[in-house]
Amino acid sequence: MNDYSQSVNELFSAQLGNWDLARINYGLLSNVFTREIDFGRFRVIVQFNPERMRSSIAKVDSKSIEERPCFLCGKNRPTAQKGVSFEKDLNILVNPFPIFQKHLTIPSELHSDQRILNHFHQMLNLSKGIPDFAVFYNGPQCGASAPDHFHFQAGNRGFLPIETDFSNGKLTKFLFVISGVEIWQWSGYLRGILTLKGSDIIKLGNVFRSFYNKFSAIQPDRPEPMLNILAYFNHNEWIIHLIPRKLHRPAQFFKEGPEQILLSPASVDLGGVIITPREEDFIKINASDIENIFDQVCYNESDIAGFINGLI
């Protein structure tokens, strides 16, 4: 697997030099407000980022998707937006509406539905090819604003608290090894998460498929089981956080007046950085709100234990 780090760094430099939209929005990141909410053994960062409004409120019903041009298809992308080809059918692009200091969108060249099962190996290859980035996947019903066009996203390593929270070992427990893949369980994190760790891409894929099939049986009527996935390559092995979902958006998203919190959780939010496109939500959201929202959209630790038992 080639290292694409230099190519991606050169892409960033070129795009911020030649593409006004990207240059302006990455410049605005320095003015983005953040604050931390302390949960004791871990923290959550809240980011006020008004440029993410279009993503947070994206209409992803079939009718809305059919009526708009796909913004990830090459023919509809801005002429100034350039990319780096990866494994022939993926295109690494600079995301012009960033959350991270370096934020990538990585769509397929083909217009095909957002489905992870047959692209999981590709996700691991990508995270190895750009080791300075955490690669993430938002399922078609839990965060993807373009569920009709397969894509990943990626952001610079060290930004998401989940990376540190896993490495410091305070919230996770090693359970066992399945076919050479370490299985880790989280405790007291408010989000039910299953973490895989290993160096063999084939074995990781087999364990993921077993989990996917188990979870699919619980959500048989969905296009795929609701999943957010974060993956990165660290010290010659992959760390993969699987975050099963039971709901797309919390009740607060649909309320009116002061009770509304316009938050549509996806991989970044569940990785520990809550994105609030409205200032009023940035100011008022508190620990109780976050705990309640996580409880609505994620499975709990007991549920995850059941998924793990299904892997043995």
Side-chain angles (χ1 to χ4, degrees), residues 22-253:
R23 181 173 61 255
I24 290 169
N25 285 341
Y26 278 89
L28 289 173
L29 271 184
S30 61
N31 298 322
V32 163
F33 291 104
T34 62
R35 63 187 182 92
E36 292 186 7
I37 296 180
D38 188 1
F39 286 88
R41 292 195 298 164
F42 67 92
R43 67 194 173 104
V44 167
I45 299 169
V46 183
Q47 182 188 98
F48 170 45
N49 191 333
E51 293 301 321
R52 297 298 298 181
M53 178 64 79
R54 56 178 54 78
S55 178
S56 294
I57 65 171
K59 294 182 178 180
V60 293
D61 60 283
S62 298
K63 184 174 184 295
S64 297
I65 289 170
E66 290 173 1
E67 291 177 348
R68 59 103 171 114
C70 175
F71 54 85
L72 293 181
C73 282
K75 63 182 180 181
N76 298 324
R77 295 199 298 259
T79 56
Q81 188 172 34
K82 309 301 180 184
V84 172
S85 294
F86 182 88
E87 288 193 347
K88 297 181 181 179
D89 63 331
L90 291 180
N91 203 349
I92 301 174
L93 308 172
V94 171
N95 189 319
F97 303 105
I99 295 169
F100 302 78
Q101 290 296 325
K102 289 188 175 180
H103 191 162
L104 303 172
T105 299
I106 306 143
S108 170
E109 294 285 8
L110 301 175
H111 184 80
S112 59
D113 288 339
Q114 184 82 330
R115 303 287 185 272
I116 188 57
L117 187 59
N118 293 326
H119 292 276
F120 184 73
H121 281 64
Q122 198 171 40
M123 184 177 193
L124 300 194
N125 282 335
L126 181 61
S127 60
K128 185 177 182 180
I130 50 173
D132 295 334
F133 289 81
V135 177
F136 53 100
Y137 172 82
N138 294 324
Q141 296 182 326
C142 48
S145 53
D148 55 328
H149 193 125
F150 183 80
H151 65 286
F152 299 110
Q153 293 186 66
N156 50 277
R157 292 283 312 277
F159 179 82
L160 295 175
I162 194 171
E163 293 183 49
T164 302
D165 293 338
F166 181 74
S167 64
N168 67 26
K170 295 179 181 178
L171 296 145
T172 57
K173 180 176 70 172
F174 168 70
L175 294 181
F176 46 75
V177 175
I178 301 175
S179 302
V181 176
E182 296 181 11
I183 308 298
W184 292 75
Q185 185 174 20
W186 292 71
S187 178
Y189 205 47
L190 303 182
R191 295 144 277 176
I193 300 175
L194 169 65
T195 296
L196 312 180
K197 185 179 180 183
S199 58
D200 189 313
I201 194 170
I202 301 298
K203 292 177 179 178
L204 284 164
N206 290 338
V207 172
F208 173 73
R209 184 175 289 270
S210 295
F211 163 79
Y212 183 98
N213 291 337
K214 168 80 172 178
F215 194 24
S216 292
I218 296 171
Q219 297 184 351
D221 298 327
R222 297 189 178 277
E224 72 172 15
M226 296 178 71
L227 269 174
N228 297 110
I229 307 174
L230 289 152
Y232 43 94
F233 193 71
N234 195 55
H235 300 301
N236 296 314
E237 60 186 357
W238 284 276
I239 296 171
I240 306 150
H241 305 299
L242 307 177
I243 312 174
R245 293 283 296 275
K246 58 185 179 181
L247 193 66
H248 178 198
R249 287 165 170 160
Q252 289 91 333
F253 182 90

